[in-house]
Amino acid sequence: MLRFTRKPYLGFIFPGFVIYTVFMIVPLLTAVYYSFFQWSGLGPKIFIGLENYRSLFFDERLSGIFWNALGNNFKFVGIVLAIIMPIQLFIAYWLDVKIIGYKFHRTIIFLPYVISSTIVGFLTMLVFNPNIGIINTFLKYVGLDSHLSAWFGDPRRAFPLVSIVIAWQGIAAGMFIFLANLKGISQNIIEASLIDGAGRWQRFRYIILPSLKPSLINNIILGTIWGLTQFDIPFVVGGSQGGVNNSIDFMNLFFYRFAFGGSYYGETSMGFGATISVVLFFIILIVAIIQITFLTRKFDGGSGQRSIK
Amino acid sequence: MSSRSHFEKLRGAKSPAAGIVSVVFFLYCAIALYLIPMLAMNSFKTKSDLINNTLGIIKTFTLDNYKTLLFEDHFMRYFFNSVVLTTASLASLLFISSLCAYGLSRYHFKGRKFLRIYFLLGMMFPIQLGILPIFIIIRNLHLTNNFLGMILIYTANMSLAVFIFSNFFRALPTALYESAVLEGAGEFTIFVRIMVPISKPVFATVGILNFVTIWNDFYMPLVFLTKKEVRTLTLGIYSYMNNFLANWHLVFAAVTLALIPVLIMFFAFSKFMITGLTAGALKE
């Protein structure tokens, strides 16, 4: 019946479609075009084919920075999946059990999420600054001077520290996804397991964990994208160079330096910047495709086997 | 009620293990609960007190930092810029994305499925990935250092908004729509008069989630708003921070003032934010 009205949907969709296409989709595609040129952003574009890609992967000076930044991104993705996600699930589980003060915990754990990265960066400086920071001041006060450290100024410590700061700010998002999933599990099933006398771990392993498939898939994918697109905190804390010896350099900072910050042999290179963003785009695409196919297949296979038993 | 609390007791909400976990969580929460009030307290210290006694208790209370910040610096400008940019971007985003989602949910047409997926792509590929071509487009339109350009970018980043709105509109009963059609109302009138009023909670969800995102955004202003007159609050604070020795007395007051709107939003509406954060995740 609705089909006979003359296409009113066009009027509704059109404005959004135009803005979304022009500023979201077209830029993703045209980045590929710019990556084939040597171009400072002003003046003539010189077509150089795949030269930017060759430089990125093989140029002595550039490829080192590239692999370091990409490596840091993947290191951080590893931290997200292996450490942060289990912690998020742990927090969500206990909030769902409604431990003492759960409403308070839920609120305060969420709080840093709404604080802007510049302010989180400022707090980081207050805590870790070698001269005036809280930690070093405290260490001096209690006489543990041998443990004084430059913290972010120490390349070996900067990466774990920046990971902690990023996690502190963002931990709530994935946690709430787990929590919403946990709340959706039928009380009756959990109640039945309680009556059967299943222990906490058994209940978690055999009743709760299998029901968490949707939130696990989502958090793995969202967490990976989160890890691959870090910018704010490393930039605010470590500057556009990504800290001492590029210790907290990430792909997005690397990109920013070259596209907007004049780091390509002293001048801004839009072409080379585009190349970096294209490579990052394909990395995200490939990782996402692998994860989606692998995750859905693995989980389906698992549940299939169980039902056969 | 009593069966519910009995259920929680059975699940071990008050067991020793839960007690230990609760203490650990309290300790973790203490980080935020120490740092944020400390910022506020420091904003009332005198300059010399701040330098010699950064972490200690306040010695002499003063409002001088706020006076300097508000009347002798650009802070008001930054704050005003953030208010204008966030408000205008939110209005645009809510209007355009709700229209779009309504069109995608209410009507059946060829290519609808494709369009739905098309509008979801932005959730997979953050808008930052296209920032360089966006920069070139914005520059060609002469919209750098201009809020209109920023509003367009924030509006284009509409995937999550369209998704949340679509899920809501799709669940609305068609009877609502059909009775209005019988009364002869136009399509747009139906949307504005009937659909928007019953969708207030979704508008709140999308609005508050994006308020925080846009208000706190650092990357887009960093790239597009390079002139002092158009700086937003996050950029302003970054500039104080970058030169914090010179601005040591200002930065605490600036950070405190910047946090106030966000904290109000947070404590008043965190439920809507949580809904927004999880809305995209558990469907499909």
Side-chain angles (χ1 to χ4, degrees):
Chain A
M1 169 185 37
L2 299 179
R3 285 161 213 240
F4 297 118
T5 52
R6 260 181 279 154
K7 309 193 172 174
Y9 55 88
L10 282 179
F12 285 104
I13 298 171
F14 188 72
F17 181 81
V18 172
I19 295 179
Y20 178 76
T21 304
V22 171
F23 291 99
M24 181 81 216
I25 301 300
V26 169
L28 284 177
L29 303 174
T30 45
V32 177
Y33 167 80
Y34 291 112
S35 72
F36 296 134
F37 290 88
Q38 185 184 28
W39 186 40
S40 70
L42 300 163
K45 290 196 270 287
I46 303 160
F47 182 82
I48 51 170
L50 293 171
E51 179 60 25
N52 281 326
Y53 291 90
R54 198 199 58 78
S55 303
L56 183 66
F57 290 109
F58 305 110
D59 182 290
E60 226 171 90
R61 197 180 70 107
L62 297 169
S63 68
I65 311 173
F66 165 66
W67 291 114
N68 172 57
L70 186 62
N72 279 344
N73 275 113
F74 274 102
K75 241 195 311 187
F76 186 66
V77 170
I79 290 173
V80 170
L81 299 183
I83 300 172
I84 298 177
M85 243 181 60
I87 293 175
Q88 287 169 324
L89 179 55
F90 180 83
I91 298 172
Y93 173 81
W94 286 102
L95 293 185
D96 185 51
V97 170
K98 300 198 170 158
I99 57 171
I100 297 160
Y102 72 95
K103 280 184 186 162
F104 172 84
H105 299 314
R106 190 179 60 197
T107 309
I108 305 301
I109 291 170
F110 190 20
L111 182 58
Y113 189 85
V114 299
I115 300 177
S116 74
S117 301
T118 46
I119 296 179
V120 173
F122 180 63
L123 289 173
T124 308
M125 191 208 71
L126 279 178
V127 174
F128 294 105
N129 183 290
N131 304 314
I132 57 145
I134 291 168
I135 293 186
N136 273 6
T137 308
F138 177 79
L139 290 173
K140 268 183 236 162
Y141 181 76
V142 296
L144 289 168
D145 292 44
S146 58
H147 288 76
L148 293 180
S149 164
W151 304 113
F152 278 89
D154 178 346
R156 281 168 305 137
R157 289 200 166 145
F159 191 83
L161 288 176
V162 86
S163 307
I164 291 172
V165 174
I166 296 167
W168 182 72
Q169 185 193 31
I171 201 157
M175 192 276 286
F176 280 121
I177 290 173
F178 280 131
L179 190 58
N181 198 163
L182 285 167
K183 290 208 179 304
I185 298 173
S186 151
Q187 272 198 16
N188 295 337
I189 302 176
I190 295 177
E191 214 150 357
S193 77
L194 286 167
I195 292 161
D196 289 349
R200 183 181 297 284
W201 173 249
Q202 283 177 312
R203 198 157 63 238
F204 178 79
R205 173 69 188 80
Y206 295 104
I207 308 223
I208 293 175
L209 200 57
S211 316
L212 288 179
K213 174 185 156 182
S215 56
L216 276 170
I217 293 179
N218 265 287
N219 276 337
I220 289 172
I221 293 165
L222 292 176
T224 305
I225 295 172
W226 186 46
L228 290 176
T229 54
Q230 278 303 320
F231 181 81
D232 289 12
I233 300 285
F235 182 87
V236 173
V237 172
S240 69
Q241 296 298 321
V244 178
N245 297 345
N246 303 108
S247 51
I248 50 172
D249 197 12
F250 288 89
M251 285 294 280
N252 262 343
L253 281 115
F254 180 45
F255 162 77
Y256 177 84
R257 287 203 296 281
F258 284 81
F260 302 114
S263 277
Y264 189 81
Y265 296 107
E267 67 176 77
T268 298
S269 174
M270 293 252 162
F272 191 70
T275 310
I276 301 171
S277 69
V278 169
V279 169
L280 186 56
F281 172 87
F282 278 105
I283 289 169
I284 293 178
L285 183 70
I286 292 165
V287 172
I289 288 172
I290 292 172
Q291 283 181 340
I292 290 168
T293 45
F294 176 74
L295 287 172
T296 36
R297 190 188 305 152
K298 191 182 171 199
F299 276 103
D300 289 347
S303 61
Q305 280 166 7
R306 244 194 310 284
S307 66
I308 289 165
K309 271 186 202 165
Chain B
M1 185 68 204
S2 69
S3 82
R4 172 132 197 107
S5 66
H6 178 67
F7 173 68
E8 273 148 27
K9 204 176 152 197
L10 268 179
R11 285 193 75 188
K14 302 217 161 83
S15 67
I20 295 167
V21 172
S22 183
V23 170
V24 172
F25 286 7
F26 271 115
L27 290 174
Y28 178 76
C29 291
I31 302 171
L33 289 182
Y34 167 70
L35 290 175
I36 292 165
M38 192 262 288
L39 288 177
M41 184 182 73
N42 274 1
S43 68
F44 298 109
K45 284 180 182 170
T46 59
K47 200 173 178 181
S48 64
D49 199 9
L50 257 183
I51 291 165
N52 302 320
N53 175 32
T54 314
L55 304 172
I57 298 290
I58 203 161
K59 278 185 185 141
T60 14
F61 180 90
T62 177
L63 289 172
D64 286 354
N65 303 328
Y66 285 97
K67 272 185 207 149
T68 321
L69 187 73
L70 295 177
F71 303 115
E72 293 162 35
D73 205 86
H74 306 279
F75 183 82
M76 286 301 272
R77 178 88 239 176
Y78 303 153
F79 198 91
F80 178 73
N81 284 343
S82 273
V83 170
V84 171
L85 179 62
T86 309
T87 315
S89 303
L90 270 185
S92 162
L93 173 70
L94 286 174
F95 180 66
I96 305 265
S97 65
S98 63
L99 277 182
C100 208
Y102 185 74
L104 289 171
S105 324
R106 176 54 64 212
Y107 305 98
H108 300 266
F109 55 90
K110 234 187 196 174
R112 181 170 84 150
K113 209 170 184 186
F114 167 80
L115 275 180
R116 275 187 184 156
I117 295 168
Y118 181 74
F119 275 102
L120 283 183
L121 288 175
M123 280 163 73
M124 195 100 242
F125 303 104
I127 194 161
Q128 286 96 320
L129 288 174
I131 196 79
L132 195 140
I134 294 174
F135 179 82
I136 293 162
I137 296 168
I138 291 283
R139 201 178 58 183
N140 289 341
L141 295 170
H142 302 288
L143 290 177
T144 41
N145 288 310
N146 183 318
F147 285 169
L148 182 59
M150 297 290 288
I151 292 166
L152 287 169
I153 296 168
Y154 287 134
T155 307
N157 199 7
M158 66 169 79
S159 290
L160 183 61
V162 170
F163 184 68
I164 296 174
F165 276 122
S166 297
N167 283 334
F168 181 82
F169 289 139
R170 241 185 292 177
L172 289 179
T174 34
L176 264 177
Y177 173 85
E178 280 155 5
S179 62
V181 170
L182 287 177
E183 283 168 30
E187 301 291 333
F188 189 70
T189 319
I190 295 174
F191 175 74
V192 174
R193 293 274 163 79
I194 299 174
M195 299 303 169
V196 173
I198 53 171
S199 316
K200 273 183 198 152
V202 199
F203 275 89
T205 299
V206 177
I208 288 157
L209 194 63
N210 282 288
F211 168 85
V212 174
T213 313
I214 298 172
W215 181 267
N216 284 341
D217 189 30
F218 179 63
Y219 195 61
M220 298 294 166
L222 183 72
V223 172
F224 291 102
L225 303 175
T226 47
K227 283 194 183 146
K228 222 174 187 172
E229 311 88 74
V230 287
R231 258 186 206 160
T232 59
L233 202 46
T234 44
L235 280 187
I237 286 171
Y238 180 68
S239 70
Y240 292 131
M241 254 182 73
N242 245 355
N243 196 358
F244 73 89
L245 285 177
N247 297 305
W248 198 220
H249 56 305
L250 296 182
V251 75
F252 287 99
V255 166
T256 306
L257 288 180
L259 275 175
I260 289 172
V262 170
L263 292 184
I264 292 173
M265 279 289 182
F266 177 73
F267 286 108
F269 303 116
S270 65
K271 274 221 168 101
F272 288 107
M273 283 193 64
I274 296 171
T275 314
L277 282 175
T278 53
L282 297 179
K283 309 246 167 175
E284 285 170 272

